[in-house]
């Protein structure tokens, strides 16, 4: 008996804790206005998590700990909507919207009746229905054909802006049944990040945020969906048992009060002219929003009027989509060229017959990389669909193969850099130029060469380097050593004193150590750590240059990729020239690194906590060591305070915890980038 009572108390305590967490979740994710610190939130979450592990029988499906956890499905089941999800008639000409208003007025029987319109953005995502039974999310489904959709509850549960339990409205008990309708979408900025990540791994990229949202929400494994940055805006209700609404505005307001995210772009107007004006205004601001909208939806506000207007052929007479011009156009690929980026990546770019897309003339579109280009099979001369989302670089979405005439030409990636002629190296899907004097990369290379942990040329700041390259005063890093004072004085904002300081620093930097010099060369895959291994192994630059594959690979921690990169680097004519010039400039080095004080290592990971899980290529201990050397912490378990979880293959429960807590999850490639981004 006593035990029963104790349990009752625990149950109540857990219930209160959940309520608190739901509330703070809402403040954080929906309103973007947290009331408590992350640490405080973590504490609450952890407490709940621990209590639930202790009393597993008290876990409820609406608990904030239960967002992810379901196992992958074989396939989705069908879900029949109790009230069909309608579609919208859509128009794009102003005259057609005016016709809509006239029709509504005529139908409602005359000019005297006042009509108010609610205007909402038409989110370019996917329509969903969420069913709440007694306030708890029970089913989530896609619109499908309006009558029957797919049941994807376990995926929708992972979206942080979809409440697992809704708040009660004005302390009324939750409705026995409430169906909420809205749109799942992917923010444009997140879409860009996701695509970069997929492209970097050689995986298929998404053509636009909508496809990305569709691909993510229909994953059979909810863990994959949980990784994807999806969001949800609610805009309507189906059945709302025990609740009467008199206006659409009231519906939106109710949805907001019970915890849903509502688009901030909604308005209501009595004058139809204002609706038209608002359309123009939103259209002009379209690129500033972080979600794609393809128009506005105009809805008659009064539900009573809506009922009188009714529905014909599955579209309501009381609502209309007033579309914006498409952001997708057909055009022709006149050529495919290759652009070399700052880091040497070669990107194929389609040169297009210029075409206006959503108010901007587009004449180039990215094809990302060779794998993507092959997948889409884009050829010179093809007619293609080009799309522009937000301020994202336009891209070729697909080829209209039926328009081919047989004269189209296939494109091959060059095996030399189109900018400097050096060889290129393939790294997964990315082709990279390895030329040490490649103009496309020169600024970055020289910045690296001069940086603190390389040759440490004090006073040679970014601005100076940029001017030197732009004015063609240097064509590789070693040219720095041949600059004279009168050369430097030609630069903007350069006085005698600064020029002298730079010359002195250059002189000083000529006496360096082997490790620094190797690091300064900027050999692909040879960061600080590998540079120090090479400096230990080889006597001097000459013997490093003459090293064979087997010599390199015999160094523990130097793998085939690194070894090949070193060999290729030293094979280049431009490298040979650079090394000769180093010698001519009088650069000398000592074999041993002497006293690089710990504090000069840039602590770019200061205050950041990392947790590693699963198998990664780099030895775990080494990865932890790097994190610590850069000022970060490597922890063994995940909490809300964890900044990054680095997930390798076969990552386990730590990954689940990270997903649940919303901790940023990165893979090894991103981790490598993170530690390389450090300013040295
Ligand atoms: S209302 C009764 N409101 O547009 C009208 N739909 O063709 C039913 N959509 O499948 C929809 N934003 O995916 C409505 N604010 C909004 C919307 C919206 C986007 C989509 C939805 C639906 C399609 C209608």
């Amino acid at each position: 008996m006593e035990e029963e009572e104790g349990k009752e108390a625990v149950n109540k305590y857990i219930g209160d804790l959940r309520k608190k967490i739901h509330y703070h979740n809402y403040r954080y994710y929906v309103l973007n206005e947290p009331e408590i610190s992350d640490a405080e939130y973590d504490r609450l979450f952890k407490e709940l998590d621990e209590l639930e592990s202790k009393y597993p029988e008290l876990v409820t499906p609406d608990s904030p700990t239960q967002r992810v956890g379901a196992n992958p499905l074989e396939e989705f089941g069908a879900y029949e909507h109790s009230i069909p999800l309608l579609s919208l008639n859509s128009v794009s000409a102003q005259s057609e919207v005016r016709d809509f208003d006239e029709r509504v007025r005529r139908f409602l029987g005359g000019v005297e009746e006042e009509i108010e319109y609610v205007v909402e953005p038409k989110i370019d995502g996917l329509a969903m229905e969420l069913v709440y039974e007694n306030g708890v999310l029970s089913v989530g489904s896609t619109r499908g054909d309006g009558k029957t959709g797919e049941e994807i509850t376990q995926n929708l549960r992972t979206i942080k802006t979809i409440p697992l339990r809704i708040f009660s409205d004005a302390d009324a008990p939750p409705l026995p049944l409430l169906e909420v309708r809205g749109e799942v979408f992917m923010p444009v900025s997140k879409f860009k990040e996701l695509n970069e990540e997929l492209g970097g791994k050689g995986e298929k990229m998404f053509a636009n945020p909508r496809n990305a949202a569709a691909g993510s929400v229909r994953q059979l494994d909810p863990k994959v969906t949980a990784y994807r940055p999806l969001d949800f805006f609610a805009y309507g209700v189906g059945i709302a048992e025990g609740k009467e609404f008199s206006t659409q505005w009231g519906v939106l307001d109710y949805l907001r009060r019970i915890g849903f995210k509502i688009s901030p772009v909604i308005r209501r107007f009595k004058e139809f002219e204002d609706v038209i004006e608002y359309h123009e205004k939103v259209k002009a601001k379209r690129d500033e929003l972080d979600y794609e909208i393809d128009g506005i939806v105009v809805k008659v506000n009064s539900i009573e009027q809506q009922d009188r207007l009714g529905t014909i052929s599955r579209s309501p007479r009381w609502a209309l989509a007033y579309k914006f011009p498409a952001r997708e156009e057909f055009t022709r690929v006149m050529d495919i060229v290759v652009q070399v980026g700052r880091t040497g990546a070669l990107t194929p770019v389609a040169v297009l017959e210029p075409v206006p897309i959503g108010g901007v003339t587009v004449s180039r579109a990215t094809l990302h990389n060779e794998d993507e280009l092959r997948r889409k099979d884009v050829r010179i001369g093809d007619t293609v669909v080009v799309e522009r989302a937000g301020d994202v670089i336009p891209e070729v979405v697909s080829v209209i193969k039926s328009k081919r005439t047989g004269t189209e030409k296939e494109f091959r990636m060059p095996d030399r850099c189109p900018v400097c002629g050096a060889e290129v190296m393939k790294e997964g899907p990315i082709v990279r130029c390895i030329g040490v004097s490649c103009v496309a990369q020169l600024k970055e290379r020289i910045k690296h060469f001069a940086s603190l942990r390389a040759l440490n040329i004090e006073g040679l700041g970014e601005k100076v380097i940029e001017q030197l390259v732009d004015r063609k005063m240097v064509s590789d890093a070693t040219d720095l050593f041949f600059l004279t004072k009168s050369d430097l004085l030609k630069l903007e904002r350069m006085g005698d004193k600064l020029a002298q300081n730079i010359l002195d620093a250059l002189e000083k930097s000529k006496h360096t150590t082997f490790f620094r010099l190797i690091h300064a060369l900027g050999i692909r895959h040879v960061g600080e750590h590998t540079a120090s291994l090479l400096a230990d192994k080889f006597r001097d630059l000459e013997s490093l240059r003459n090293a064979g594959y087997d010599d390199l690979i015999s160094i523990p921690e130097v793998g085939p990729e690194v070894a090949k990169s070193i060999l290729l680097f030293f094979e280049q004519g431009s490298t040979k020239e650079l090394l000769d010039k180093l010698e001519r400039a009088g650069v000398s080095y000592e074999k041993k690194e002497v006293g690089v004080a710990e504090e000069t290592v840039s602590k770019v990971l200061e205050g950041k906590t990392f947790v590693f899980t699963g198998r990664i290529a780099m030895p775990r201990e080494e990865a932890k060591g790097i994190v610590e050397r850069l000022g970060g912490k490597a922890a063994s378990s995940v909490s809300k305070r964890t900044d990054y979880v680095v997930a390798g293959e076969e990552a386990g429960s730590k990954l689940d915890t990270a997903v649940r807590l919303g901790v940023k999850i990165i893979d090894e490639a991103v981790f490598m980038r993170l530690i390389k981004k450090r300013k040295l």
Side-chain angles (χ1 to χ4, degrees), residues 85-89 120-128 143 182-183 210 235 248 294 297 299 316 318-319 321:
L85 273 73
L86 300 176
S87 54
L88 290 169
N89 285 324
E120 302 166 14
K122 186 166 187 306
I123 321 279
D124 198 8
L126 302 124
M128 299 288 155
R143 174 179 185 272
E183 199 87 350
R210 185 176 190 278
Y235 55 65
Q248 165 67 7
D294 51 359
V297 183
K299 298 177 183 173
W318 47 266

Side-chain angles (χ1 to χ4, degrees), residues 88-106:
L88 290 169
N89 285 324
S90 69
V91 302
S92 20
Q94 214 185 78
S95 62
E96 294 172 295
V97 215
R98 291 188 194 282
D99 290 348
F100 163 76
D101 176 48
E102 253 171 48
R103 231 178 8 251
V104 167
R105 287 180 197 281
R106 205 170 342 113

Side-chain angles (χ1 to χ4, degrees), residues 356-408:
I357 306 184
V360 177
T361 300
V362 173
S363 53
R364 288 164 94 85
T366 180
L367 293 160
H368 296 294
N369 58 51
E370 196 173 11
D371 292 3
E372 274 290 301
L373 185 148
R374 292 270 158 268
R375 220 173 343 240
K376 289 177 186 155
D377 187 21
V378 182
R379 302 181 190 175
I380 300 167
D382 267 338
T383 299
V384 291
V385 178
V386 176
E387 179 164 328
R388 190 175 72 87
D391 57 355
V392 179
I393 305 166
E395 57 181 302
V396 174
V397 176
S398 58
V399 175
I400 312 293
K401 297 227 168 102
S402 59
K403 295 238 169 170
R404 281 201 175 145
T405 60
T407 56
E408 293 76 16

Side-chain angles (χ1 to χ4, degrees), residues 109-135:
V111 271
E112 290 79 41
E113 188 160 339
E114 187 167 90
I115 297 167
E116 192 170 46
Y117 288 103
V118 171
V119 180
E120 302 166 14
K122 186 166 187 306
I123 321 279
D124 198 8
L126 302 124
M128 299 288 155
E129 181 173 71
L130 306 167
V131 181
Y132 289 84
E133 288 175 62
N134 297 314

